[in-house]
Amino acid sequence: MIEFLDANSPRILAGLVQHLYLSVLPIIIGLVLAIPLGMAAVRSRWIDAPLLGASSVAYSIPSLALFIVMPGILGTQILDPINVIVALSLYTLALLFRSVTDGLKAVPEPVRMASTAMGMRRLRQLLTVELPIAVPVIAAGLRVTSVSNISMVSVGALIGVGGLGDLFTYGFQIGSLPLILTGIVLSVALAFLADLIIVVLQRMLTPWARAREAR
Amino acid sequence: MVGDLFAFFADAQHWTGPEGIPLRAAEHLLYTVLALLIAFAIAFPVGLLIGHTNRGAFLAINIGNAGRALPTLGFLVLLVLLTTVGLVPVLVALVVLAIPPILTATYAGIRNVEPDIVDASRGMGMTERQVLFQAELPAALPIVVGGLRTATLQVVSTATVAAYVSLGGLGRFLIDGLAQREYPTMLAGAVLVAVLAIALDVVFVGLKTVAQPGGLAARTKPTSRRPVTNHRQSTAS
């Protein structure tokens, strides 16, 4: 055990760090883009319909295929981690765009009317009333994306960029079960940790839900 | 680059023989269909049971989450090292990948059937079996098909990994292309996998419309505005 860690800890640590930024960065980029796009889409069918179509097509493109197509589109090297980041950001955006619009569309009509009656303009209404109410739906989408992103990143190891996936390909080449197991355990642990963080954030952002539970 | 891609597809050599596109695509489809059939045979009955009785729901949801978190590439190479190179470890890995979406969608579909429908069918004197198969299942069918669609997408994308452990399928173009530093070959493989995935997805869009029970079709507009988020259905439906 000690021997194993001695020999492999730099590799494991490097994989873990790379895995973290390859999966977390796209989640943040995707979320930051999805919120304004989703808000724009609920206001205009001209934005909603094409984006909905594009997001469902984007989501059906296999991740490995997207990683490989990226250098052709972006003009990057095949081994550049940016390919994985852009591809996963696209997935996140595709999924979260739908969560944001679903969440906003599910806001109860009386709530919307009440905020109108209070004299709120459309944008303020969206930002201060509807978006907070949509948080649980967005968080649910975020949980799905974060978990699937974290497990998808390792596929990138097939083209040489994969964080913990490197432990899978390298472990396979040298026939090391402990290395592969370490990669699996760390990857699953990361996914659960990300899930936990999102749940905690959601609870912080929706204090009224907690108040309702307590009653 | 696009020119290289066209050149690859225009080359007649790439369309015949054991390494040609049709055979690779057929292999890919074979892995996908086999894995989906096995996963469906396991996950669908379990999902029905859990959905109908509402027992073991906690287990079902957690299996779904854990399954999504499991890195398939790692699981596959682990299986290959533990057993042998061949179709079996690839199928096991793909089946494990496909079970969670089918299971959770079946469960969520049955749970989401309006209680009035279930009560009414019990009130009509249906047996539990009839309630499940004649009332709940037809109403849940679109969601079940949605889960199957998610599973199919994931399996098609992941079946490319089979090539890494020396099997066939469209992944061969990716793996061999990378080994020989031929980007056009990799790109062609990527395009082929994407086309296959999108084609299968289109099939499911059609299936979902067919799966919609006639009596409910008229009512789905207003109810579909209520997103099924409490079950954490993947949104790829």
Side-chain angles (χ1 to χ4, degrees):
Chain A
M1 181 71 190
I2 305 278
E3 214 171 287
F4 168 76
L5 282 179
D6 241 15
N8 294 301
S9 59
R11 188 169 211 115
I12 295 170
L13 205 64
L16 188 63
V17 170
Q18 196 184 27
H19 205 95
L20 258 180
Y21 86 79
L22 283 181
S23 50
V24 172
L25 207 58
I27 296 172
I28 295 170
I29 297 174
L31 180 66
V32 165
L33 294 176
I35 289 175
L37 279 176
M39 291 199 319
V42 286
R43 298 176 73 171
S44 151
R45 280 210 63 82
W46 294 104
I47 303 176
D48 193 21
L51 277 183
L52 202 62
S55 75
S56 99
V57 173
Y59 197 65
S60 45
I61 299 172
S63 55
L64 189 57
L66 205 54
F67 295 163
I68 289 170
V69 174
M70 275 304 150
I73 299 171
L74 302 172
T76 46
Q77 294 293 314
I78 184 105
L79 287 177
D80 201 329
I82 201 89
N83 302 320
V84 173
I85 291 177
V86 174
L88 289 181
S89 301
L90 274 178
Y91 280 124
T92 312
L93 175 60
L95 240 140
L96 286 185
F97 168 73
R98 195 167 270 196
S99 302
V100 173
T101 52
D102 278 353
L104 291 177
K105 282 176 191 166
V107 172
E109 200 50 40
V111 172
R112 208 180 317 240
M113 293 198 297
S115 57
T116 309
M118 284 171 70
M120 284 193 189
R121 296 202 182 256
R122 193 73 189 96
L123 187 64
R124 197 170 149 222
Q125 210 173 16
L126 260 175
L127 287 174
T128 62
V129 178
E130 297 180 27
L131 199 57
I133 291 178
V135 162
V137 182
I138 300 173
L142 207 54
R143 290 173 72 177
V144 174
T145 14
S146 68
V147 171
S148 71
N149 265 10
I150 289 171
S151 69
M152 244 191 289
V153 165
S154 41
V155 175
L158 294 183
I159 53 163
V161 203
L164 292 168
D166 171 60
L167 303 183
F168 303 148
T169 48
Y170 181 70
F172 185 60
Q173 277 162 26
I174 64 166
S176 164
L177 277 181
L179 212 51
I180 297 173
L181 274 173
T182 309
I184 295 178
V185 170
L186 285 177
S187 178
V188 172
L190 267 188
F192 277 100
L193 188 66
D195 200 52
L196 191 69
I197 291 173
I198 296 168
V199 172
V200 169
L201 278 179
Q202 182 197 339
R203 284 181 70 87
M204 281 167 55
L205 287 171
T206 54
W208 59 87
R210 254 178 300 152
R212 204 178 300 156
E213 265 172 44
R215 239 189 287 154
Chain B
M1 195 203 72
V2 177
D4 288 339
L5 188 62
F6 276 119
F8 183 93
F9 285 121
D11 191 342
Q13 230 189 332
H14 291 138
W15 289 93
T16 53
E19 290 181 6
I21 294 166
L23 203 78
R24 289 296 185 215
E27 285 168 344
H28 204 99
L29 214 53
L30 180 74
Y31 305 154
T32 305
V33 171
L34 274 181
L36 283 171
L37 283 178
I38 299 170
F40 188 78
I42 297 168
F44 182 64
V46 177
L48 283 184
L49 195 71
I50 294 176
H52 184 70
T53 60
N54 204 21
R55 281 192 202 143
F58 180 77
L59 190 75
I61 292 172
N62 282 295
I63 287 177
N65 294 346
R68 253 193 283 273
L70 190 71
T72 310
L73 177 63
F75 186 54
L76 174 65
V77 292
L78 184 74
L79 285 174
V80 173
L81 278 192
L82 286 176
T83 59
T84 167
V85 176
L87 189 58
V88 175
V90 169
L91 276 184
V92 173
L94 294 180
V95 166
V96 167
L97 181 73
I99 283 178
I102 301 176
L103 180 64
T104 46
T106 310
Y107 160 77
I110 298 286
R111 289 307 312 157
N112 271 357
V113 175
E114 283 183 39
D116 291 353
I117 297 180
V118 182
D119 286 346
S121 37
R122 286 216 178 96
M124 284 170 65
M126 283 188 179
T127 62
E128 283 308 300
R129 179 179 287 264
Q130 284 172 324
V131 171
L132 178 59
F133 287 102
Q134 292 175 20
E136 290 178 316
L137 184 56
L141 212 51
I143 298 185
V144 177
V145 174
L148 206 55
R149 180 180 171 194
T150 310
T152 307
L153 275 185
Q154 289 181 356
V155 173
V156 172
S157 351
T158 316
T160 40
V161 173
Y164 184 68
V165 291
S166 352
L167 255 69
L170 294 170
R172 279 258 68 94
F173 295 111
L174 311 183
I175 304 289
D176 296 345
L178 185 69
Q180 291 153 13
R181 309 253 161 249
E182 283 175 11
Y183 184 64
T185 309
M186 294 178 78
L187 196 60
V191 169
L192 287 169
V193 178
V195 168
L196 185 63
I198 292 172
L200 286 177
D201 205 35
V202 170
V203 171
F204 272 101
V205 174
L207 264 184
K208 213 172 172 182
T209 327
V210 177
Q212 185 76 260
L216 288 176
R219 304 175 27 182
T220 43
K221 269 281 169 310
T223 48
S224 69
R225 285 176 69 98
R226 192 183 57 199
V228 245
T229 46
N230 48 338
H231 297 293
R232 293 193 52 203
Q233 255 310 295
S234 168
T235 38
S237 50

